[in-house]
Amino acid sequence: MKARMRTMRPAVLAMTTAMVLSSCGGGGDDAPGTGDTGGAISVFNTEPENPLVPGNTTEFGGSQVMDAMFTGLIDYDQQTTEVKNAAADSITDVDSKVYTVKLKPGWKFHDGTDVLAKNFVDAWNWTAYGPNATQGAPFFSDIQGYDEVNPADPDGKSGPQQAPAPATDKMSGLRVVDDRTFEVTLKSSSPVFKVKLGYEVFAPLPDSFFADKAAFEAKPIGNGPFKFVSRQVGTEVKLTRFDEYTGMDKPKFKDLTFRVYQSREAAYPDLVGNQLDFIEELPPNALAGQQHKTDLGDRVVEGESLMNQTLSFPLYEEKYQNPDLRKAISMAINREEITTRIYEGSRQPADGLVHPLIKGYQKGQCGELCTFNPEKAREHLARSGFTGPLKIISNTDGGHSEWATAAANSIKNTLGIECVFEPATSLGEFRGKINAREMTDMYRAGWVADYPSIENFLNPIYKTGASSNDGEYSNPEVDAKLAAADTAASEEEGIKLYLEAEKLILNDLPFVPLWTQNTIGGKSDRLSSAKLSAFRKLDLTSVEVA
């Protein structure tokens, strides 16, 4: 989201938990046409997994659309990740446990109805309610009363038992004070809670959603800078600018189409030929030999992204429950060779779970477990007793075939057992199988930060029952350490505890850290300006049509 990226330092990216969020200056005074270059643009996308409801949309294809259609209480600066108020006029707290949110006046949904306190409270309760089975529910687990609306599943999503019926459908920790004020009471103090509130699962929903959910899914209504026009599954999602939008991040162009491709390789010729306006990440075949520089010239867009690439193990499958096998696989992958040969050095081998640009990152957390070591890899394999075969599964619409094939070959050649890359179809179908616990082999599991905090690289993925803990990893010692970090008295103490939790997780190795990356994207010559964000997306506010 930046035509020219500056290097982002960890101190800039991190949010201090002591920050007091106060008014950022009303609803914005510029009319939509100020600096408006007009026009329409098209952006690469993968097929959204689910209907476009923010509380149930956490993957890349749906998230891109949600970011354009919805605006939450806060937002993140797309270049520095600094927290700033959006729909919230102020967010104050008592001991980081009781939060009072006051909304700015004048905010509207796309159907013309007011954005009120109850629209946040109702949306959060609906998302958290267990029978709705949303992907975003665990993000509300800090709130008092969550356990009553979402009782724990006794044997996880992959088990035969069902979770108990909830005692209620409303969290006791949410209370509407008046039309523009609501109160959130947490189970215990959590200074990081405020930083989360810009993530899309915390967006409001209009009354019409609760009146007719099916009608909403057919034509979703948000409160963000763009409103829904149409969706053709497998082809595109069309949006247009919402000119009554009162936020500070008004776009300068009118129409936005998210175009679905089966792969980045298929989209790249359209970008080169100016038939597609933006891809946030070029495919490996375009990077090989610096071909993208020849094809695109000054249309190349680069930036650092808060993204980790990993392999995940379905720990509900018996063969992957052996930690020696997982460690053998990790130490059999030659990260240096893959990042150099396939990505021309634009990826950096990972040495932990926390991204290097996040405050609290500590170098070398993974140690030898993330270092290519054929001899020790074979020793771990021998201890595991496993004889093969293995597979790496990934969707093919995200530019992953080359590295997944190379990783499979590295494992095969190092360990002397059969290992192949098995392509899946679209990201939506791929994620559907993951969510249904239908994976029987290891699979790609990249992570892009939802919000700029060390907590976001740990809790949503590794805590028992967490929203993105798709492999069903569980370690009570890790859970206790993460809970202590969440409620630490200071940011510094919290970081120390999060790092201790990271070490515990890495010793279990439920995921294989692979690499972080500098994102290299591209734009058409129709765009005089287009920037990448730290969240590996197009910064829509940066776009100007030539």
Side-chain angles (χ1 to χ4, degrees):
M1 299 179 201
K2 311 167 192 51
R4 180 174 60 85
M5 280 290 294
R6 68 171 181 239
T7 301
M8 294 177 289
R9 304 261 59 92
V12 175
L13 285 169
M15 287 313 306
T16 57
T17 55
M19 175 175 288
V20 176
L21 297 179
S22 57
S23 175
C24 283
D29 299 325
D30 293 340
T34 302
D36 189 355
T37 57
I41 74 165
S42 57
V43 177
F44 169 86
N45 205 22
T46 55
E47 179 61 36
E49 177 185 358
N50 294 320
L52 299 171
V53 178
N56 198 33
T57 302
T58 58
E59 41 69 45
F60 175 77
S63 180
Q64 283 217 112
V65 182
M66 293 293 94
D67 282 353
M69 285 190 60
F70 288 86
T71 298
L73 295 171
I74 65 169
D75 202 355
Y76 312 114
D77 186 282
Q78 297 296 293
Q79 296 187 42
T80 67
T81 74
E82 180 184 359
V83 169
K84 53 187 178 181
N85 282 344
D89 191 51
S90 66
I91 304 174
T92 57
D93 69 272
V94 177
D95 297 329
S96 298
K97 183 176 181 180
V98 180
Y99 290 81
T100 300
V101 180
K102 292 186 179 296
L103 303 179
K104 293 174 182 174
W107 278 63
K108 301 283 186 181
F109 285 107
H110 300 154
D111 61 1
T113 60
D114 292 330
V115 178
L116 303 175
K118 70 182 180 69
N119 297 113
F120 283 94
V121 169
D122 290 347
W124 294 10
N125 277 322
W126 180 86
T127 302
Y129 186 56
N132 291 331
T134 66
Q135 294 179 6
F139 284 93
F140 298 90
S141 61
D142 291 341
I143 298 175
Q144 184 176 287
Y146 174 81
D147 296 333
E148 283 70 50
V149 303
N150 199 316
D153 189 329
D155 56 359
K157 291 184 180 180
S158 63
Q161 298 184 56
Q162 298 295 314
T168 178
D169 61 356
K170 294 177 176 58
M171 289 181 281
S172 58
L174 295 180
R175 183 174 71 90
V176 174
V177 177
D178 58 41
D179 280 352
R180 288 178 46 222
T181 309
F182 67 100
E183 187 178 87
V184 185
T185 301
L186 306 183
K187 297 174 185 175
S188 55
S189 297
S190 177
V192 76
F193 181 74
K194 283 189 284 195
V195 182
K196 298 180 183 181
L197 296 177
Y199 185 38
E200 60 212 24
V201 301
F202 292 96
L205 286 169
D207 293 345
S208 58
F209 171 83
F210 304 98
D212 191 337
K213 179 172 172 284
F216 180 94
E217 290 178 348
K219 190 173 182 179
I221 297 165
N223 68 322
F226 287 91
K227 60 184 179 180
F228 182 85
V229 175
S230 64
R231 177 182 181 183
Q232 187 173 350
V233 174
T235 303
E236 65 183 17
V237 178
K238 287 189 172 183
L239 310 179
T240 192
R241 187 174 61 205
F242 179 49
D243 286 337
E244 289 74 37
Y245 181 66
T246 55
M248 301 295 287
D249 53 335
K250 299 182 183 71
K252 298 176 182 177
F253 63 99
K254 190 174 191 306
D255 297 314
L256 171 62
T257 298
F258 289 104
R259 193 177 297 168
V260 175
Y261 286 85
Q262 289 303 307
S263 68
R264 296 181 189 277
E265 289 80 2
Y268 184 67
D270 281 0
L271 178 73
V272 173
N274 291 300
Q275 301 304 305
L276 176 69
D277 290 313
F278 195 84
I279 300 179
E280 90 297 338
E281 183 181 342
L282 300 180
N285 66 341
L287 302 178
Q290 305 290 310
Q291 182 62 41
H292 64 293
K293 294 184 178 179
T294 300
D295 293 340
L296 299 174
D298 62 3
R299 292 160 53 196
V300 173
V301 182
E302 297 189 45
E304 294 177 283
S305 298
L306 295 173
M307 179 180 179
N308 291 339
Q309 193 68 254
T310 61
L311 282 177
S312 179
F313 297 107
L315 300 182
Y316 46 83
E317 287 289 316
E318 184 176 357
K319 67 183 176 184
Y320 289 113
Q321 292 171 7
N322 190 315
D324 277 309
L325 174 60
R326 303 196 297 267
K327 292 173 182 179
I329 290 168
S330 180
M331 299 174 81
I333 297 174
N334 193 333
R335 296 163 178 78
E336 289 282 356
E337 181 180 71
I338 292 172
T339 55
T340 301
R341 180 167 57 85
I342 294 179
Y343 292 113
E344 301 282 333
S346 64
R347 308 296 197 263
Q348 295 77 42
D351 61 357
L353 305 173
V354 176
H355 195 281
L357 293 175
I358 286 290
K359 186 175 183 180
Y361 162 79
Q362 186 164 306
K363 185 176 178 61
Q365 286 279 84
C366 193
E368 68 174 13
L369 292 178
C370 289
T371 303
F372 181 57
N373 190 324
E375 182 178 351
K376 288 195 173 183
R378 288 189 285 268
E379 289 175 3
H380 281 291
L381 180 67
R383 282 198 290 270
S384 76
F386 183 78
T387 58
L390 292 169
K391 291 180 183 178
I392 296 175
I393 303 173
S394 175
N395 58 303
T396 56
D397 53 355
H400 303 292
S401 298
E402 286 88 349
W403 75 256
T405 300
N409 287 335
S410 186
I411 293 168
K412 176 182 178 180
N413 295 335
T414 302
L415 299 181
I417 59 176
E418 186 65 22
C419 185
V420 298
F421 164 56
E422 182 178 288
T425 52
S426 71
L427 177 60
E429 292 181 17
F430 177 62
R431 285 297 315 170
K433 290 183 177 180
I434 292 171
N435 291 331
R437 302 302 190 257
E438 294 176 356
M439 286 296 179
T440 57
D441 286 283
M442 55 185 163
Y443 54 91
R444 181 195 72 81
W447 183 258
V448 182
D450 303 312
Y451 42 88
S453 169
I454 186 174
E455 179 270 347
N456 188 236
F457 284 87
L458 300 173
N459 272 343
I461 315 170
Y462 305 107
K463 184 179 282 188
T464 300
S467 59
S468 295
N469 188 348
D470 300 316
E472 301 206 347
Y473 169 68
S474 181
N475 182 331
E477 188 178 0
V478 168
D479 290 343
K481 189 71 71 173
L482 289 172
D486 293 344
T487 58
S490 68
E491 181 185 28
E492 292 71 22
E493 180 63 20
I495 287 173
K496 177 177 176 291
L497 292 167
Y498 283 127
L499 291 173
E500 290 175 6
E502 182 187 16
K503 288 289 286 187
L504 292 172
I505 297 164
L506 287 167
N507 187 58
D508 291 338
L509 213 67
F511 280 60
V512 173
L514 294 175
W515 42 78
T516 60
Q517 68 182 70
N518 297 324
T519 302
I520 301 176
K523 65 183 181 70
S524 73
D525 62 12
R526 296 180 60 251
L527 304 188
S528 57
S529 174
K531 300 178 182 181
L532 275 166
S533 80
F535 302 98
R536 202 194 67 153
K537 294 176 184 176
L538 171 61
D539 177 1
L540 296 172
T541 64
S542 75
V543 174
E544 295 183 11
V545 181

